[in-house]
Amino acid sequence: MKRVFVGMTGASGARYTLALVPVLVGAGIEVAFSMSDSAAKVLRLEEEIVVDAGEPDLEALFGKAAAGVQFFPQDMVEAPVSSGSFAVDASILCPLSMGTLGSIAAGTSANLIERAADVMLKEGRPLVLVPRETPLSLIHLENMVRVARAGAVVLPAAPAFYHHPTSIDDLVRHIVTKITDRLGIRLDLIQRWGER
Ligand SMILES: Cc1cc2nc3c(=O)[nH]c(=O)nc-3n(C[C@H](O)[C@H](O)[C@H](O)COP(=O)(O)O)c2cc1C
């Protein structure tokens, strides 16, 4: 894995992205990043971090790891990640809203985040989707089945408790580990089951 696209949408769980990107950069991966307007709203409401979705302060989001992140506005559909010929090894949409999930399932590619997901499916490259919603309607469930059939990994933001989390960060790290595991990047961020 050399270069990965991370798309942040307006589902709850902004801190998953805040944790994920520095971990990827720390693993030596170049991160191409985009966020939706709703993601910026959720970030403000959940984390009290105020950024412009079109031109975010990457250091405010990712600290020193910002140096390893290349930002693309969500309306920049001409960005390199929009093309199957650009070498992105995988895309991760985290957290993923039901709205963007529906667009991916419908193949509409109306913005860069949706297009980056669509490109991975058409090129047969890894697409990890981290949806967050509860309860799920039949439409949400059917959309998940649809994208899974098309080749996406549906990895809900549903942290486990068997590693004895004592903080929210522990729960977040569990999901980050699940994501990086799916990309074949083995990191020791949490106590794994059977490794006590
Ligand atoms: C504080 C807050 C939390 C939200 N949480 C979720 C959520 O967990 N899942 C979801 O699908 N939508 C959630 N939404 C709604 C989405 O942000 C909304 O549907 C938005 O249009 C999604 O747009 P996007 O996919 O372009 O980011 C939330 C909105 C706000 C303001």
Side-chain angles (χ1 to χ4, degrees):
M1 274 300 133
K2 190 170 171 292
R3 194 187 282 137
V4 166
F5 173 81
V6 175
M8 180 183 192
T9 72
S12 184
R15 67 173 73 185
Y16 289 120
T17 328
L18 302 183
L20 172 68
V21 169
V23 163
L24 293 173
V25 172
I29 292 169
E30 284 173 38
V31 174
F33 174 71
S34 187
M35 69 191 297
S36 71
D37 292 338
S38 303
K41 278 185 194 161
V42 174
L43 193 59
R44 176 170 55 80
L45 293 166
E46 289 187 342
E47 304 296 334
E48 293 171 6
I49 298 174
V50 179
V51 293
D52 177 347
E55 201 182 348
D57 175 350
L58 295 178
E59 259 188 57
L61 298 179
F62 309 126
K64 288 196 176 107
V69 180
Q70 198 180 2
F71 174 75
F72 299 99
Q74 68 168 335
D75 61 356
M76 194 179 171
V77 284
E78 73 278 24
V81 290
S82 245
S83 167
S85 57
F86 184 67
V88 165
D89 299 308
S91 286
I92 307 165
L93 268 50
C94 172
L96 173 65
S97 72
M98 295 303 102
T100 295
L101 170 69
S103 303
I104 297 166
T108 50
S109 293
N111 62 38
L112 184 64
I113 296 173
E114 294 169 15
R115 172 66 183 165
D118 198 55
V119 166
M120 292 297 106
L121 295 179
K122 86 181 174 74
E123 297 294 335
R125 287 188 223 145
L127 171 63
V128 179
L129 301 177
V130 187
R132 216 282 348 160
E133 188 51 274
T134 198
L136 296 165
S137 73
L138 184 60
I139 293 171
H140 302 150
L141 292 165
E142 286 182 347
N143 283 338
M144 287 184 201
V145 169
R146 201 168 162 84
V147 296
R149 282 206 178 113
V153 173
V154 179
L155 195 158
F161 291 83
Y162 54 73
H163 61 296
H164 305 292
T166 56
S167 66
I168 293 173
D169 282 348
D170 283 348
L171 297 172
V172 169
R173 271 193 288 272
H174 185 264
I175 294 301
V176 170
T177 300
K178 286 282 178 182
I179 296 168
T180 49
D181 276 1
R182 278 314 296 238
L183 298 182
I185 306 162
R186 290 287 288 187
L187 301 170
D188 292 323
L189 303 177
I190 56 160
Q191 180 94 51
R192 290 171 188 270
W193 184 250
E195 290 184 357
R196 315 189 107 239

